[in-house]
């Protein structure tokens, strides 16, 4: 297809598709001649004690949804195809992977960059689509592509949410009814933080304290992994809020670790 001059779009996922994934497929289908979807629960991006073995799967439904959304090819490899017994090569992006999710998941991003490199080499897309939901992942992948001269354009698509603001995630299926009711607190605290910043607050610590209080105040079943405000380019912590910032959080609701984020431009003026 490439030799015929067709543009190839690629959407890597771990399956159990929801509207967030489908928005990436739809974006690709709009901008390319062929859209390739991969479904692969990549073991090297899971740490010990994480949910690799429980990760939800419904391949028949995924195939139906993917086709409706405009996928032309679905690639569902087995572990023995992706990782031979003597697999020895990993891709590591330094500097952007120790903080935020990389702090509590120290081997996660190496697993992501390695599998995405392998998938890029197999599919050889022109454009690859990622979600802003995994903001750090998108930044790491963009850096990898730039540093390693991969001839692929990375497109980052907006977060798709449930009606009550909860960011869609395959992991939301783990939530009990009570936990599901608490889960929108991530989004609500980000919205409140934005309002605080919009009204002139420029202290990162003050905004983070407000978010922490809001999440902890909600219930005893929420446990904060991190609440961070970082530069949206470098992912470095910032004290005084200015320019392009990323508010990012990871919170365990019961046993389920949820992430969410909000990117915004902070004006230099103070009201
Ligand atoms: P996953 O299957 O969780 O690895 O996600 C595959 C891709 O879908 C990643 O690029 C995610 O960032 C993206 N994605 C997951 N959830 C959402 C969402 N709620 N909105 C937009 N993109 C998403």
């Amino acid at each position: 297809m490439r030799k015929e001059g067709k543009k190839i779009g690629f959407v890597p996922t771990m399956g159990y598709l929801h509207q967030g994934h489908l928005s990436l497929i739809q974006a690709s289908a709009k901008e390319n001649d062929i859209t390739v979807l991969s479904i692969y629960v990549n073991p090297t991006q899971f740490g010990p004690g994480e949910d690799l073995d429980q990760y939800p799967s419904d391949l028949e439904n995924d195939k139906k949804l993917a086709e409706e959304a405009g996928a032309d090819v679905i690639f569902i490899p087995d572990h023995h195809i992706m990782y031979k017994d003597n697999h020895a090569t990993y891709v590591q992006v330094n500097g952007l992977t120790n903080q935020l999710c990389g702090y509590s998941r120290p081997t996660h991003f190496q697993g992501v960059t390695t599998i995405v490199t392998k998938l890029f080499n197999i599919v050889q897309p022109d454009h690859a689509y990622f979600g802003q939901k995994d903001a750090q992942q998108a930044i790491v992948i963009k850096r990898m592509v730039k540093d390693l001269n991969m001839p692929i354009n990375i497109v980052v698509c907006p977060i798709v949410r449930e009606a009550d603001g909860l960011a869609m995630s395959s992991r939301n299926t783990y939530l009990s009814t009570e936990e599901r009711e608490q889960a929108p607190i991530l989004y609500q605290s980000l919205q409140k933080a934005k309002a605080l910043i919009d009204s002139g607050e420029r202290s990162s610590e003050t905004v983070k304290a407000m978010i922490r209080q809001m999440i902890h105040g909600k219930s005893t079943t929420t446990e904060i992994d991190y609440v961070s405000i970082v530069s949206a380019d470098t992912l470095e912590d910032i004290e005084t809020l200015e320019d392009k910032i990323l508010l990012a959080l990871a919170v365990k609701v019961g046993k389920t670790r949820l992430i969410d984020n909000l990117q915004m431009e902070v004006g230099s003026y103070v009201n």
Side-chain angles (χ1 to χ4, degrees), residues 12-14 18 20-21 24 130-131 133-134 137 158-160 168:
T13 77
M14 298 203 296
H18 51 67
H21 299 115
L24 306 183
F130 292 84
K133 158 92 190 327
D134 298 273
Q137 170 173 278
I159 302 177
V160 178
M168 288 194 183

Side-chain angles (χ1 to χ4, degrees), residues 10 13 37-43 59 74-83 115 118-119 122-123:
F10 177 44
T13 77
L37 169 77
S38 68
I39 298 177
Y40 182 60
V41 182
N42 170 40
L59 287 179
I74 311 183
F75 179 49
I76 311 177
D78 287 333
H79 291 318
H80 73 270
I81 292 183
M82 295 313 283
Y83 293 104
I115 196 66
K118 287 167 70 67
L119 291 167
I122 293 166
V123 177

Side-chain angles (χ1 to χ4, degrees), residues 11-15 17-21 23-24 45 55 129-135 137 157-161 166-171:
V11 181
T13 77
M14 298 203 296
L17 302 183
H18 51 67
Q19 198 53 50
H21 299 115
S23 73
L24 306 183
Q45 70 189 71
Y55 202 82
Y129 295 78
F130 292 84
Q132 175 64 18
K133 158 92 190 327
D134 298 273
Q137 170 173 278
C157 300
I159 302 177
V160 178
R161 299 180 178 281
L166 175 64
M168 288 194 183
S169 164
S170 308
R171 289 189 168 102

Side-chain angles (χ1 to χ4, degrees), residues 30-90:
K30 211 183 256 178
E31 295 160 12
N32 298 275
D33 301 308
I34 300 292
T35 289
V36 180
L37 169 77
S38 68
I39 298 177
Y40 182 60
V41 182
N42 170 40
T44 65
Q45 70 189 71
F46 288 78
E50 291 186 355
D51 58 341
L52 174 62
D53 296 335
Q54 294 107 277
Y55 202 82
S57 170
D58 186 349
L59 287 179
E60 285 317 306
N61 195 43
D62 283 356
K63 286 180 196 167
K64 190 171 137 277
L65 293 176
E67 205 179 320
E68 282 166 11
D72 301 289
V73 177
I74 311 183
F75 179 49
I76 311 177
D78 287 333
H79 291 318
H80 73 270
I81 292 183
M82 295 313 283
Y83 293 104
K84 304 287 178 215
D85 286 344
N86 60 352
H87 183 96
T89 307
Y90 292 87

Side-chain angles (χ1 to χ4, degrees), residues 44-257:
T44 65
Q45 70 189 71
F46 288 78
E50 291 186 355
D51 58 341
L52 174 62
D53 296 335
Q54 294 107 277
Y55 202 82
S57 170
D58 186 349
L59 287 179
E60 285 317 306
N61 195 43
D62 283 356
K63 286 180 196 167
K64 190 171 137 277
L65 293 176
E67 205 179 320
E68 282 166 11
D72 301 289
V73 177
I74 311 183
F75 179 49
I76 311 177
D78 287 333
H79 291 318
H80 73 270
I81 292 183
M82 295 313 283
Y83 293 104
K84 304 287 178 215
D85 286 344
N86 60 352
H87 183 96
T89 307
Y90 292 87
V91 179
Q92 170 70 37
V93 175
N94 294 326
L96 296 172
T97 54
N98 300 326
Q99 60 278 70
L100 304 177
C101 287
Y103 185 74
S104 56
R105 307 185 75 193
T107 56
H108 172 68
F109 286 108
Q110 179 177 291
V112 169
T113 44
T114 301
I115 196 66
V116 170
T117 299
K118 287 167 70 67
L119 291 167
F120 279 180
N121 284 334
I122 293 166
V123 177
Q124 297 181 30
D126 299 284
H127 306 279
Y129 295 78
F130 292 84
Q132 175 64 18
K133 158 92 190 327
D134 298 273
Q136 185 175 15
Q137 170 173 278
I139 290 168
V140 168
I141 298 286
K142 275 188 181 169
R143 176 66 68 80
M144 174 185 85
V145 162
K146 192 166 174 222
D147 286 354
L148 296 183
N149 309 89
M150 295 177 174
I152 299 168
N153 176 42
I154 303 299
V155 183
V156 182
C157 300
I159 302 177
V160 178
R161 299 180 178 281
E162 303 285 356
D164 61 6
L166 175 64
M168 288 194 183
S169 164
S170 308
R171 289 189 168 102
N172 291 349
T173 185
Y174 298 147
L175 298 169
S176 68
T177 311
E178 191 197 337
E179 290 163 355
R180 175 63 188 81
E181 278 167 18
Q182 290 168 4
I185 193 67
L186 278 79
Y187 174 70
Q188 288 159 6
S189 68
L190 288 169
Q191 289 304 112
K192 185 108 182 269
K194 183 178 184 312
L196 197 59
I197 298 166
D198 283 342
S199 73
E201 182 57 61
R202 292 294 177 268
S203 157
S204 177
E205 202 40 60
T206 305
V207 177
K208 286 189 286 191
M210 186 281 294
I211 295 175
R212 280 192 224 106
Q213 198 194 0
M214 208 170 147
I215 292 171
H216 273 149
K218 181 83 179 173
S219 86
T220 48
T221 57
T222 51
E223 187 195 327
I224 292 173
D225 178 358
Y226 66 79
V227 171
S228 296
I229 306 185
V230 296
S231 152
D233 297 320
T234 64
L235 297 184
E236 279 167 15
D237 270 318
I238 39 178
E239 284 172 24
T240 304
L241 305 178
E242 57 183 357
D243 303 332
K244 227 168 94 183
I245 62 169
L246 179 72
L247 289 75
L249 11 140
V251 177
K252 271 179 109 175
V253 179
K255 287 199 173 70
T256 307
R257 186 176 175 281

